[in-house]
Amino acid sequence: MDYITLGKNVRKYRLILGFTQEELADKCECSNSHIGQIENARGIPSLNRVVKIANALSVTVDQLLKESYSNPEVVYLREIAERIEKYPVARRIQACEALMAYLDSLEKFSQ
């Protein structure tokens, strides 16, 4: 496991969500100094801790472990589908129609 990449990704996703190290630590049931050690590649988290961090950051474990992806859109598509599935039916239809309209406009302007 590349602990430097793990630490950079934990920090990146934590900042994207606007969490402090303390807030992430609370969600992961560990100390904020442990989060700091992980982010700086000085601490080696257990697999269980990595899973807790991924869940707290709403990302997959592979998103924390990989530097880059060959197919990053798969992660986004899964996340979009999961979000839409949480909506009531009427809002799901609205979201799908809005996405379709957006895709139509992308296709129209890319010709």
Side-chain angles (χ1 to χ4, degrees):
M1 184 181 313
D2 178 356
Y3 295 106
I4 293 172
T5 298
L6 171 66
K8 286 180 182 178
N9 286 335
V10 168
R11 178 176 167 74
K12 174 179 76 174
Y13 291 114
R14 176 179 64 77
L15 292 175
I16 287 170
L17 292 175
F19 290 166
T20 63
Q21 287 182 347
E22 186 174 75
E23 289 169 328
L24 178 58
D26 286 343
K27 293 178 181 298
C28 298
E29 302 168 352
C30 68
S31 69
N32 57 330
S33 65
H34 189 50
I35 296 296
Q37 290 172 349
I38 292 168
E39 288 185 359
N40 292 303
R42 289 182 309 201
I44 299 175
S46 67
L47 180 57
N48 185 47
R49 180 73 57 216
V50 173
V51 170
K52 285 184 178 189
I53 291 170
N55 288 334
L57 296 173
S58 299
V59 297
T60 61
V61 171
D62 59 323
Q63 284 177 286
L64 292 181
L65 300 178
K66 303 267 294 172
E67 192 167 331
S68 63
Y69 289 96
S70 55
N71 297 317
E73 73 280 1
V74 173
V75 175
Y76 290 115
L77 291 170
R78 185 173 358 132
E79 289 175 4
I80 291 167
E82 288 172 0
R83 287 179 66 181
I84 290 173
E85 287 172 357
K86 292 178 184 177
Y87 296 155
V89 174
R91 181 158 294 165
R92 275 188 257 167
I93 292 169
Q94 278 182 319
C96 290
E97 288 174 346
L99 284 170
M100 292 298 287
Y102 179 70
L103 293 173
D104 289 344
S105 67
L106 280 178
E107 292 168 2
K108 180 179 177 181
F109 290 112
S110 66
Q111 294 177 351

